Amino acid sequence: MKNRDFITSKFENESITAPSSLSEDAIKARLEQGISANDVIKVNTNKKRIFMPLVSVAACVAIVVASVFSANAIRDSRVEKAVKKNTDGGIVHFTTYDELESFTDKIYDYEYKSNSHSIVDFFSKKSSSFATESAADGALSKSSSYSSTNTQVADVDEADIVKTDGDYIYYIDSADGTLVIVSAKDGKTELASKEFNNGNSDFTEMYLDGDRLYVLGTEYPEDYKKGDKTFVITFDISDRENVKRLDTFEQSGNYSTSRMVDGCIYVISNTFSFDKRFIPYCTGANGDYAKIPADDICAFECCKTPSYAVVGALDTDSGKRKNKKVKAIMGGADNIYCTTDNLYLSCVDYNSGNTSTVIAKYEFDGTDIEEKSVGRVKGYVNNQWSFDENDSFLRVATTASDKEGNEVNKLYVLDDELETVGSVGGYARGEHIEAVRYIGDMAYVITYETTDPLFCIDLSNPKDPRVTGEVKITGFSTNLVPVGDDKLMGIGYSTEENEWGEARNGVKIVLFDISDKNAPKILDTKVYEDAESEAQTTHKAIVINDDEDYLAIPINYYINTEYEFEELGGGVLLLGEKNGKIEIKAEQKFSNNVDRVIYIGDYIYAIDMYEDTVNSFRIK
C-alpha cells in the first residue's frame, strides 16, 4: 500500500491526470487485443517530465493491470465454480451470460491455441405387404386415399418439399424457392397460387395441417455479422388462391431439420460464430428478435467449439404462434432422432483423438422442453435411422476406426439416462454403415466397401445384443423398407469395377428374406443402370400405398460415357412383391426429371421441383 500511496501522491503533487486510455476498461480491452503495458506507456508519455512522471505512469499501469487481472481471477474463479456446480450428466447449465462467457473463453483458448479438430469439422461430412409399424419400430406412411410423407416414427411428422391433402398439391420450386399450390383432380392439375420468398431467403421444407401451411427455411442477411436466421412462416391457406401470411417465427442459425408432434413443431438450426460473446436469438413473446435467456442455454461438457444447436418448440394449434420455448445447446447437432416424447441431438467429437458421438436427450410435452441427459458412444452415425428407441432403451449404430485406421462397426444399447448397458461389434471390418432399419427386437444393418452385407442383430436382450446372421451382395442399399412380416426391400446403388476402382452405375433394388434371423437370404434383385433416384438419398422420396400393396419411387435416366453426360428424362417405378420376387407394377416415363412422387386415389403425380412441372398417370 505504501507504493500505491506514493504513486498517488506523485500524481496529485505533479498535477498529472491519467489519460482515459489508462482506465481499467481501456487497459483490459488492450490486453485482450494483445497490446502490452509498454505499448500504452510509449503512446502516452509526457515529454516534459522525462523520468519521475514516466515511472509514476508505469507504476500506475502496473497497478491497474494487476487490479484488472485480480478482479478477473476472482470473477473467473467464481464463475468456474458456478459452471462446475451447474454441470449435471454431461450438460453444463448457465444462469447468467457471465457464466456463458467464461465457458466460451475456455473454448476459444482450446480452439485457437491448439491444432485439434473440432465438432464443427463434421458438418462438412457427411441426410398388407408394406406394413405400417409401431413407433418403436419406425413407421411408414399410413394408408389413405392420398399419400403422406414417409416418416421414421409413427405420429411424428417430418417436413418435406411436397405435401398433399388429396385435393391440392403443395411443393417448393427448387429453382427459386417459390411455394407452389396446384389443384389436383383425376390426374389433372391447375395452378392455384404461388407464394414468393424474399431475395435473401430460401423456402426449404413445409408442414401441412388443415388450412395452415408452415414453411421453414433460412434467411441470409446482407450484413453477415448479424448471422443467418431460421424461420417458420405460418400461411393461412383456407383460400388456396389467396394465401395469407399470419405469423413469422425466427431463431438463429441455418435451418437443419424439424419434427411435428401433436400440434407442436420442433425446429433445429445450427449456428457458428467467431465472436465468443455471441448469444443465439429467437422471436420472443412480444414479437421482438432478442437473445435467448441464459438459463435456456446449456453446453455439452466436452464442447470444444462455439457452435450452437438451437431448438425451437412452437405451438401451432391456434394457427398463430401462441406458446413457444427455445433452447440452445453449445456444441451443435449433426443428426436428430425424435419420438413422441423425446428428442435426441447428436454431434461428433473429434477432439479426443478417438472419434465419438455425443448424444443429448430432451424430454418434451408440447412447448415444455427440458434437457434430460447426455451419453457418448464411439464412432459416428450414418443418419437419423442409426437411432431407435424401444422400451426406454436407445439403440445406436456407429462406424469408428481402430488403431490401424480400419473402419469398424458397433451397435450400442443405452438406458433411459444414456448410460451404455450393452453393445456388439466386430462385424464388417473395413466397411462403413450405409443403412439401418430397426424392427422390434431386431436391427438390420447394411455396410459397404465392395459388397453389400446385410447383418441381422438380435436386440431382445439389451445387455447382450448379438449378430445372428449375414448375407452379401454386390452394390449397397441406402434405404430399407419392411415388406410384410419377413421381408425387406433395399433401395440403393448398383456398382461396377472400372479402371479407377469401384464406381456407382445405377439404381439397385434388392428383396431380402429375413424370416430366419440366423440365415437371411437374397430373394431377388433389379438393376437400372445409368439411372439415379432421390430414394437413394432420402426416405422421404419413397411412397407407400398399403391398400394397393405398392411402393413408388422417382427415377431419372441418363447417358454417362467418357465424353458426355446427358439427361434422358425421368419416371416413376411402382414396386411390389409377389411369390418372393420383386414385381414391377408400373414403370412410367416422362420427358422431364422426377424429384418426388405422390398418389391421390388411382393417380400418381410426378413432380419436377426444378422445372416446376407436375405429370400424372392412372394406376388402374
Side-chain angles (χ1 to χ4, degrees):
M1 292 299 294
K2 290 182 178 179
N3 289 336
R4 181 172 181 175
D5 291 342
F6 166 76
I7 293 169
T8 302
S9 66
K10 294 298 293 182
F11 266 67
E12 292 174 349
N13 294 336
E14 299 181 30
S15 301
I16 299 174
T17 302
S20 59
S21 60
L22 292 179
S23 68
E24 181 175 335
D25 289 341
I27 294 293
K28 180 181 177 182
R30 287 173 176 268
L31 289 174
E32 288 179 344
Q33 295 171 7
I35 301 175
S36 68
N38 288 332
D39 293 329
V40 178
I41 293 167
K42 289 177 182 178
V43 172
N44 292 284
T45 299
N46 187 326
K47 294 182 180 179
K48 293 182 180 180
R49 295 178 173 87
I50 298 176
F51 180 67
M52 285 305 295
L54 181 61
V55 172
S56 301
V57 173
C60 179
V61 170
I63 290 175
V64 172
V65 170
S67 66
V68 169
F69 279 122
S70 177
N72 284 343
I74 294 172
R75 171 184 173 277
D76 286 348
S77 176
R78 183 179 69 250
V79 172
E80 186 171 351
K81 288 179 180 178
V83 168
K84 287 182 178 179
K85 182 179 179 181
N86 292 336
T87 300
D88 181 29
I91 298 177
V92 183
H93 295 269
F94 305 103
T95 57
T96 68
Y97 292 129
D98 277 349
E99 292 178 357
L100 182 58
E101 183 178 333
S102 177
F103 190 81
T104 54
D105 280 342
K106 298 182 188 305
I107 289 175
Y108 269 77
D109 286 344
Y110 181 95
E111 179 70 12
Y112 300 113
K113 291 182 181 179
S114 72
N115 296 318
S116 299
H117 293 293
S118 62
I119 295 170
V120 78
D121 293 337
F122 185 73
F123 295 143
S124 64
K125 288 177 68 100
K126 35 168 267 54
S127 276
S128 100
S129 58
F130 299 102
T132 301
E133 303 162 27
S134 68
D137 296 337
L140 299 173
S141 307
K142 294 181 179 179
S143 83
S144 62
S145 59
Y146 56 89
S147 56
S148 58
T149 301
N150 183 19
T151 62
Q152 183 178 11
V153 177
D155 299 321
V156 178
D157 197 7
E158 300 184 32
D160 196 14
I161 55 178
V162 62
K163 297 283 185 178
T164 184
D165 56 15
D167 295 314
Y168 291 86
I169 301 172
Y170 312 82
Y171 65 91
I172 294 172
D173 179 354
S174 61
D176 59 9
T178 304
L179 171 63
V180 182
I181 303 177
V182 298
S183 63
K185 186 176 182 180
D186 297 332
K188 298 179 180 179
T189 58
E190 183 177 348
L191 178 66
S193 62
K194 285 189 175 185
E195 189 70 20
F196 296 91
N197 60 339
N198 66 52
N200 295 323
S201 67
D202 288 337
F203 287 172
T204 304
E205 294 183 315
M206 73 184 95
Y207 290 99
L208 175 63
D209 187 12
D211 286 337
R212 296 289 184 269
L213 199 64
Y214 305 96
V215 178
L216 304 93
T218 303
E219 180 182 351
Y220 309 96
E222 293 181 0
D223 182 357
Y224 73 92
K225 293 181 181 179
K226 294 182 178 179
D228 299 339
K229 298 179 182 178
T230 287
F231 59 79
V232 182
I233 302 175
T234 302
F235 289 99
D236 178 350
I237 57 170
S238 53
D239 181 353
R240 269 62 174 179
E241 297 181 1
N242 185 25
V243 175
K244 298 178 181 179
R245 296 191 183 206
L246 295 180
D247 184 63
T248 299
F249 169 82
E250 296 175 320
Q251 65 186 43
S252 292
N254 292 303
Y255 173 65
S256 177
T257 187
S258 61
R259 298 292 187 273
M260 186 173 184
V261 181
D262 195 23
C264 194
I265 298 177
Y266 301 93
V267 187
I268 293 85
S269 57
N270 277 295
T271 181
F272 180 86
S273 175
F274 290 100
D275 178 2
K276 65 183 177 182
R277 291 176 178 80
F278 171 78
I279 306 295
Y281 281 61
C282 69
T283 303
N286 60 359
D288 293 338
Y289 192 60
K291 291 180 180 179
I292 297 174
D295 57 2
D296 284 326
I297 299 174
C298 65
F300 289 115
E301 187 178 16
C302 65
C303 178
K304 298 296 185 295
T305 60
S307 56
Y308 284 95
V310 183
V311 183
L314 310 176
D315 179 13
T316 66
D317 283 346
S318 65
K320 285 193 175 183
R321 175 184 43 79
K322 269 190 174 180
N323 302 318
K324 61 91 186 172
K325 188 69 175 179
V326 180
K327 297 277 189 175
I329 185 165
M330 195 183 302
D334 50 78
N335 279 290
I336 79 155
Y337 168 70
C338 186
T339 70
T340 54
D341 301 301
N342 298 310
L343 177 68
Y344 298 88
L345 278 68
S346 73
C347 70
V348 175
D349 181 7
Y350 288 108
N351 296 293
S352 61
N354 296 314
T355 301
S356 61
T357 295
V358 184
I359 306 165
K361 179 180 180 180
Y362 286 79
E363 288 184 343
F364 61 79
D365 182 7
T367 56
D368 294 329
I369 179 168
E370 296 295 336
E371 307 88 1
K372 176 69 183 298
S373 54
V374 166
R376 182 188 290 266
V377 293
K378 291 182 179 180
Y380 65 89
V381 299
N382 181 47
N383 55 30
Q384 68 188 64
W385 293 88
S386 296
F387 298 94
D388 179 74
E389 185 184 273
N390 183 274
D391 292 335
S392 78
F393 291 102
L394 180 70
R395 294 92 74 93
V396 187
T398 70
T399 298
S401 296
D402 61 17
K403 294 180 180 180
E404 288 74 38
N406 298 309
E407 290 180 310
V408 293
N409 301 285
K410 207 161 187 177
L411 194 149
Y412 295 87
V413 181
L414 286 64
D415 64 15
D416 189 51
E417 298 299 320
L418 297 187
E419 295 288 339
T420 299
V421 297
S423 65
V424 61
Y427 60 94
R429 184 181 179 86
E431 301 183 356
H432 60 270
I433 292 174
E434 286 285 357
V436 184
R437 189 75 193 220
Y438 298 90
I439 303 176
D441 289 331
M442 294 296 297
Y444 301 94
V445 180
I446 295 284
T447 61
Y448 173 69
E449 183 59 33
T450 55
T451 58
D452 173 14
L454 171 74
F455 292 91
C456 301
I457 302 177
D458 187 344
L459 300 168
S460 56
N461 182 352
K463 296 182 179 180
D464 185 28
R466 297 177 299 110
V467 177
T468 59
E470 66 174 283
V471 63
K472 293 185 178 182
I473 190 172
T474 58
F476 61 96
S477 300
T478 49
N479 276 300
L480 295 171
V481 182
V483 180
D485 296 327
D486 57 5
K487 298 180 182 68
L488 277 177
M489 188 172 287
I491 300 170
Y493 295 87
S494 63
T495 58
E496 65 178 358
E497 287 284 345
N498 58 31
E499 57 186 304
W500 297 284
E502 189 84 356
R504 303 174 184 181
N505 71 334
V507 177
K508 187 166 188 173
I509 302 158
V510 184
L511 186 64
F512 296 99
D513 180 350
I514 54 172
S515 58
D516 183 350
K517 65 182 180 181
N518 298 307
K521 300 176 182 177
I522 297 164
L523 297 177
D524 196 14
T525 64
K526 297 287 184 183
V527 174
Y528 292 82
E529 293 184 356
D530 296 330
E532 59 186 8
S533 171
E534 286 289 306
Q536 295 169 305
T537 58
T538 175
H539 61 281
K540 298 176 186 178
I542 303 171
V543 171
I544 310 296
N545 190 324
D546 200 32
D547 291 337
E548 300 298 328
D549 284 347
Y550 68 74
L551 176 156
I553 65 171
I555 190 167
N556 296 305
Y557 309 93
Y558 58 84
I559 293 176
N560 189 11
T561 68
E562 185 178 354
Y563 305 103
E564 65 175 347
F565 177 89
E566 180 183 354
E567 295 181 345
L568 300 178
V572 177
L573 292 179
L574 262 60
L575 308 171
E577 180 271 331
K578 187 174 182 180
N579 299 325
K581 297 293 183 181
I582 298 170
E583 181 183 12
I584 308 299
K585 295 195 171 188
E587 181 181 358
Q588 185 71 37
K589 294 185 178 181
F590 304 103
S591 59
N592 54 281
N593 286 343
V594 179
D595 300 307
R596 285 291 195 275
V597 179
I598 66 166
Y599 69 84
I600 300 176
D602 294 336
Y603 288 89
I604 294 287
Y605 296 85
I607 305 160
D608 182 345
M609 304 294 181
Y610 188 81
E611 295 293 339
D612 191 9
T613 302
V614 181
N615 291 303
S616 66
F617 66 95
R618 188 171 184 176
I619 304 169
K620 295 181 179 179

